[in-house]
Amino acid sequence: MTISTNDTANSTSRILIADDDPSILLLLKHILLAEGYSVIEAKNGVEAIEMCSQHALDLAIIDIVMPVMDGIEACRTINEQMTDPPPVLMITALDDDASVENAFDVGATDYVTKPINWSVFKNRVKRIVGAEHSKKTVRKLEYHDHLTGLPNRVLLLDRLESAIYRARRNDTHVALFVIDIDNFKLINETLGHDQGDMLLKSVAERLQQHIRDTDTLSRTSGDEFGLIIENVSRLEDIAHLAESLTTLLEHNIVLAEQSVYIKAKIGITLYPQDGEDVGTLMKNADIALHKSKKESGQTSYKFFSPELSNKAFRRLNIENSLRGAIENNQLVVFYQPKINLSTGHPQGMEALVRWNHPEHGLIPPDEFIPIAEETGLIVPLGEWVIKTACKQFCQWRSEQLDISNISINVSARQFKEQDLVSLFEHIFSELKIDPTFIELELTESALLHNEDKVASKLNRLHDMGIKISIDDFGTGYASLAYLKRLPIDILKIDRSFTDGILHDSDDIAIVNAITGLANALSLELVAEGIETADQLEKIIKLGITHGQGFYWGAPCNPDDYRVLFDRIKP
């Protein structure tokens, strides 16, 4: 641990930085010292906790991915053990909803993503430290949001408890709204936090002008507002209010001399129908909000309902059933051809798992694969897919099918936890299959943790002759430097770029950039999601050599694949 200071006005502000990467640590220290802050350094989560307990800090900046103890656990411990914990700014390369939600769940104040935008970083640090100073000097800010002046989450929860008490006593109803601004994160990142703040204040003012004096409006988190409506007599009134609020918030606002279109999503829960205590109502309002975000439709608001609980029961049922799916022969592997675009020949295929559930029918992979990933069932499931696909490939080769490769997906958790080298050694020995026929598809998220171990495992697989493919390339958050350090052979362009290849100049530019990158590094390029002849023509003009998609055929079982192969081969 080291403490560095700079003799300026800001040196009274002490900031902890915790990161296991010496280069990032040095750069953070340099930036903060230049801004006039005192800096304390830690190399892992355990050291960060120790420093927080020993020093009065105005801010702790903690990387999520660290050895010994990660940033999530460190942040949780700091907030649980300290009576007056510092605000925590998380640094993460994992810019997915789950990682960000985990950070906020354990008490993080905000986050920045790698690679770090230093202008945004300095602005964010300045804003958080300023808020911390204000909190210490003005106790009122413990209960009000410093930006909008609205009650904060703490005061909202207190008022919700009081509203429940009054409703129980008077036999009335209470409605709780959770309001979320669409694409606020994008606005913050593209136009800057000052413009994001202007948007939040504008939203707060609009909402305040539209509600009663007896209602409680709160800013509960970054782009989220809470609203308590008491003395509800008719549920229709709540629906009408929700409709009017979504209409009110759907507008254009000028930010940074640009007209920005704004709209919102709302989740609604009711006392006593959906819950009789603060915790249950808040949880159910968040569930309803999640439903509103996930489901597109004519309305931008959703009520919590038993149907959502039924979905949770279905998920549990799927999880329990998944444990026996392999033994009960409910899983099947479908195959989709991969086409050499210069010859039109279906030289390879991708193996894709499907689940034929006895009660629910054919369950889509995007429903059961995340559950398998969360529970660890992805490891035995993934092993079964690998063995099944390799056996099928060998059978087709023995039948003189003119194919030269098969792609098999490996999830991040399976890649991390399973001994894939030993598995393939056993498969190659048993089936006498040429390892160069096998392609393993990984997403960028599989490469983000413990780079040395990732490189070691990939190199061992690659040395066996297995080709390594990056799936959904262009949508992840890893540094492109891994393309130089790791033994990558193939990049698969995500279908979202293929969808826009005919009309979206940004998608065309991105695909051109990926093509140039692949050519420079001598990597094979595969376009996913080709559905039309026009898309195919454009893909070929852009210089992409391989493709797959519904243009040639949907994934199908082995028997149907033979028919498909014979139909599309030149």
Side-chain angles (χ1 to χ4, degrees), residues 455-468:
S456 175
K457 181 175 285 190
L458 284 180
N459 281 319
R460 292 177 67 192
L461 291 166
H462 201 259
D463 289 344
M464 297 170 71
I466 297 172
K467 294 182 175 64
I468 307 299

Side-chain angles (χ1 to χ4, degrees), residues 257-270:
E257 300 182 349
Q258 298 184 46
S259 180
V260 180
Y261 176 71
I262 303 300
K263 61 179 181 177
K265 293 289 192 297
I266 302 177
I268 307 167
T269 190
L270 299 166

Side-chain angles (χ1 to χ4, degrees), residues 160-370:
L160 181 57
E161 186 171 14
S162 298
I164 291 172
Y165 172 78
R166 287 189 290 270
R168 184 180 295 120
R169 184 183 60 191
N170 299 324
D171 195 24
T172 57
H173 301 270
V174 177
L176 173 65
F177 286 49
V178 179
I179 305 166
D180 183 88
I181 309 304
D182 279 3
N183 297 321
F184 178 77
K185 176 175 174 287
L186 180 62
I187 293 170
N188 252 352
E189 291 180 349
T190 55
L191 300 181
H193 281 269
D194 290 340
Q195 302 303 313
D197 288 350
M198 287 180 60
L199 170 60
L200 290 174
K201 288 191 283 188
S202 173
V203 168
E205 290 171 2
R206 279 177 170 256
L207 290 171
Q208 282 179 300
Q209 293 170 4
H210 201 75
I211 62 175
R212 304 172 303 183
D213 292 339
T214 55
D215 300 331
T216 295
L217 177 65
S218 164
R219 183 186 173 207
T220 55
S221 63
D223 64 339
E224 197 169 278
F225 295 83
L227 176 62
I228 302 171
I229 309 293
E230 295 189 54
N231 299 315
V232 175
S233 57
R234 298 191 313 153
L235 297 185
E236 294 87 348
D237 294 337
I238 296 302
H240 291 155
L241 176 60
E243 190 73 44
S244 64
L245 289 181
T246 55
T247 302
L248 174 76
L249 295 177
E250 187 173 348
H251 68 291
N252 287 299
I253 181 173
V254 176
L255 298 172
E257 300 182 349
Q258 298 184 46
S259 180
V260 180
Y261 176 71
I262 303 300
K263 61 179 181 177
K265 293 289 192 297
I266 302 177
I268 307 167
T269 190
L270 299 166
Y271 168 88
Q273 293 93 324
D274 302 328
E276 299 187 7
D277 59 83
V278 170
T280 302
L281 290 174
M282 291 295 293
K283 177 192 71 175
N284 290 345
D286 285 337
I287 292 173
L289 175 63
H290 177 73
K291 180 183 179 184
S292 179
K293 289 180 177 180
K294 187 175 181 181
E295 297 181 10
S296 60
Q298 294 183 346
T299 63
S300 295
Y301 62 90
K302 294 291 181 183
F303 285 86
F304 177 81
S305 71
E307 176 212 353
L308 299 179
S309 294
N310 293 338
K311 283 191 175 181
F313 178 79
R314 171 182 166 88
R315 186 193 185 283
L316 180 62
N317 180 265
I318 288 175
E319 179 181 331
N320 292 334
S321 301
L322 188 57
R323 299 181 186 278
I326 299 175
E327 292 81 358
N328 297 328
N329 297 315
Q330 295 171 7
L331 297 179
V332 292
V333 177
F334 280 19
Y335 301 88
Q336 185 175 44
K338 184 173 78 173
I339 311 299
N340 184 323
L341 299 183
S342 62
T343 65
H345 184 71
Q347 68 179 43
M349 73 283 295
E350 180 178 357
L352 300 160
V353 66
R354 298 291 187 264
W355 182 10
N356 192 11
H357 192 281
E359 296 178 15
H360 302 297
L362 199 63
I363 299 177
D366 59 358
E367 184 172 358
F368 73 85
I369 291 297

Side-chain angles (χ1 to χ4, degrees), residues 546-564:
H546 294 79
Q548 66 183 83
F550 279 45
Y551 177 77
W552 295 279
C556 54
N557 64 47
D559 291 338
D560 291 340
Y561 187 83
R562 274 303 300 255
V563 177
L564 176 63

Side-chain angles (χ1 to χ4, degrees), residues 131-156 159 208 219:
E132 183 67 4
H133 285 176
S134 298
K135 174 185 173 183
K136 291 178 179 178
T137 56
V138 185
R139 300 307 296 177
K140 180 184 176 182
L141 291 182
E142 292 182 0
Y143 302 103
H144 287 78
D145 172 51
H146 74 280
L147 178 66
T148 62
L150 295 175
N152 62 14
R153 183 181 179 88
V154 174
L155 188 51
L156 177 81
R159 290 187 178 176
Q208 282 179 300
R219 183 186 173 207

